[in-house]
Amino acid sequence: NGRTYELTERRYVITPQKSGAHLIPPILFSGTVQDGRTRGTLFEELFGNRPGRLSRDPFQTSRSVHLRSPKILLTVKEPPPDLNGREWLPAKELTLTETWSADTKILQMGDPLTRTVILRAKGQRGEQLPELTVPSQSIVKIYPDKTNIQTAFDGRWVLGSREEKYVLVPTQPGKVTLPAIHIPWWNIETSLWEDARLPARTLTVLGTPQPATS
């Protein structure tokens, strides 16, 4: 109806730390609002004339308001009993992808190769995603780079990502197999365990063996 409103919206990510019933208390708001009435002139206020018959003060009157949101009762489920040493990672979606800076079929000894592994989850913050473990290899030196952790919001779900980079430097000719990477996680939609996995990869390194140093 021709009125201008200001909207302030705040979103909160709630991460339960234990199962059971949890009460989220109300959010309190205190402020002032204009009530639509206008003050009369000083002459009107002194002599009792009705507002509108003379010029008016352009400022409207206001009143204090104190509001609170409803209480929210959450029921948090317990983790499934079959953890069996698996890390508890509930999510709506979870993916594990990788990229390489060059062809991995044939490598030359001494040529560096960068591997980027990205773990993405819908329903988990980036800080909650587990660190990826890449074991050392006999003929390839692995140097971890800085981890990039991010958290976003799509309007309903929190989106977390964890990007880890590794620089691989072949030091001797031969073949080496990088083991598979798998992250078990709990699908909150199906209430089933799933496994995000990157397959094992075999690298072939070409070159002349370096003589052993005494």
Side-chain angles (χ1 to χ4, degrees):
N1 296 326
R3 299 183 62 182
T4 301
Y5 292 84
E6 179 180 346
L7 172 67
T8 300
E9 181 178 80
R10 294 182 179 176
R11 297 179 183 269
Y12 298 86
V13 176
I14 300 174
T15 305
Q17 300 299 309
K18 62 180 180 179
S19 59
H22 299 276
L23 180 65
I24 300 178
I27 297 176
L28 305 180
F29 170 80
S30 296
T32 58
V33 296
Q34 295 179 346
D35 61 7
R37 296 179 300 170
T38 57
R39 296 188 181 97
T41 63
L42 179 61
F43 180 85
E44 291 171 337
E45 293 180 358
L46 290 176
F47 296 99
N49 292 331
R50 290 185 298 172
R53 300 181 66 178
L54 297 175
S55 61
R56 299 183 184 182
D57 189 322
F59 298 102
Q60 292 182 323
T61 59
S62 60
R63 57 186 174 86
S64 298
V65 293
H66 303 281
L67 303 173
R68 65 178 60 204
S69 66
K71 299 178 182 179
I72 300 176
L73 180 62
L74 294 180
T75 301
V76 180
K77 298 179 181 179
E78 293 187 0
D82 58 340
L83 283 176
N84 297 330
R86 288 176 286 204
E87 185 171 353
W88 177 233
L89 186 60
K92 180 179 174 61
E93 297 176 6
L94 191 138
T95 60
L96 188 61
T97 60
E98 67 175 349
T99 58
W100 295 81
S101 61
D103 188 5
T104 60
K105 293 181 180 179
I106 298 179
L107 306 176
Q108 292 294 329
M109 191 174 59
D111 289 345
L113 180 68
T114 301
R115 182 189 193 187
T116 304
V117 180
I118 303 178
L119 180 63
R120 293 186 177 92
K122 178 181 286 189
Q124 288 285 339
R125 302 193 313 272
E127 298 81 1
Q128 296 176 280
L129 300 179
E131 181 180 357
L132 304 177
T133 301
V134 178
S136 58
Q137 302 294 329
S138 58
I139 67 173
V140 175
K141 290 186 177 180
I142 300 178
Y143 302 94
D145 201 348
K146 184 178 180 180
T147 301
N148 183 17
I149 298 175
Q150 294 184 355
T151 299
F153 192 71
D154 68 354
R156 183 179 179 187
W157 292 91
V158 63
L159 307 175
S161 67
R162 183 185 183 95
E163 178 185 280
E164 298 190 8
K165 288 187 177 183
Y166 308 90
V167 178
L168 291 77
V169 180
T171 58
Q172 295 292 333
K175 289 188 177 183
V176 61
T177 299
L178 304 179
I181 301 177
H182 69 96
I183 304 294
W185 62 286
W186 179 259
N187 190 322
I188 63 174
E189 295 289 333
T190 62
S191 296
L192 295 174
W193 284 106
E194 295 194 22
D195 199 36
R197 176 180 292 269
L198 291 177
R201 186 181 293 268
T202 300
L203 307 179
T204 300
V205 181
L206 302 180
T208 304
Q210 297 294 322
T213 56
S214 58

